[in-house]
Amino acid sequence: MTDAAHRLLWTIIALLLVASGAAALAVSFGVLPGGDPGAVLLGAGLLDRWRLAAPWSTLAAAVAGVLVALSGQRLLDRELRRPGRALRGTLSHPGRRPGRTRLAAEVLAHALERDLTGNPGVRRAQVMLTGAPPRPDVWIRVDMTADAGAAGVREHVHAAVRRFATTADCQPAHLDVTARIEPGRP
């Protein structure tokens, strides 16, 4: 999932939570038409059924709470984790003559990192290759110095990715670049 998709997912979740909170607040203040601020939100019949199923209703609520908490923890864990399915092993390309060219994925990632840090505005770079070998997904994180020009670093990253694609003979299916500016004098 790309960063844009993550932001969209969390924006939708946040809007749903805000809308439900606003609706509950509107009901409690009696702002909604036909709503009575002094009325009980849960009716007497529902409360009687809850009390009739006394031990099981509490257990069901506890199980539902645990399931919601676990699904939230799993979602949060997946959002905070680095991209999965790292490309391991070799990229293999058939040659024009009999034989194959094999390139280690780790070596390619380190070579791209070295190329990216060749710009004086780039302090550090991390590269991760994921996906299928002929068209891998390329994930790049670049730490820029405070005085680096964003346009110059952007052009340098695109040129480095073009050189990578030419050297490895594989076009990235997806390119995700995250740039961070290190604190310092602007």
Side-chain angles (χ1 to χ4, degrees):
M1 209 178 227
T2 64
D3 285 343
H6 285 190
R7 285 190 297 272
L8 179 64
L9 171 69
W10 285 108
T11 301
I12 290 171
I13 290 172
L15 289 175
L16 288 174
L17 290 173
V18 167
S20 62
L25 194 61
V27 166
S28 71
F29 284 137
V31 175
L32 294 178
D36 180 19
V40 178
L41 189 58
L42 301 175
L46 184 61
L47 287 175
D48 287 340
R49 279 187 245 137
W50 178 267
R51 289 182 185 128
L52 273 174
W56 298 110
S57 60
T58 306
L59 182 64
V63 168
V66 167
L67 289 176
V68 168
L70 286 176
S71 63
Q73 184 271 335
R74 183 174 177 182
L75 177 64
L76 189 60
D77 181 52
R78 292 196 67 187
E79 292 297 319
L80 296 177
R81 189 176 351 161
R82 286 180 55 153
R85 298 181 297 118
L87 187 60
R88 299 280 181 237
T90 60
L91 295 174
S92 180
H93 296 288
R96 293 187 182 148
R97 297 184 182 169
R100 289 187 163 290
T101 301
R102 293 184 180 193
L103 304 166
E106 292 84 12
V107 172
L108 287 173
H110 291 303
L112 183 54
E113 288 172 359
R114 280 192 310 274
D115 192 4
L116 289 168
T117 55
N119 185 323
V122 176
R123 176 88 57 211
R124 262 186 299 312
Q126 287 183 328
V127 175
M128 179 181 260
L129 302 175
T130 62
R135 292 188 40 88
D137 296 332
V138 179
W139 303 80
I140 298 174
R141 190 181 86 197
V142 177
D143 294 340
M144 299 170 27
T145 60
D147 58 344
V153 171
R154 177 186 296 151
E155 185 54 41
H156 176 71
V157 168
H158 284 297
V161 170
R162 282 193 301 269
R163 287 190 295 271
F164 166 78
T166 302
T167 303
D169 193 27
C170 62
Q171 286 292 357
H174 174 77
L175 175 64
D176 191 295
V177 179
T178 303
R180 297 186 319 175
I181 299 175
E182 290 186 340
R185 290 190 337 234

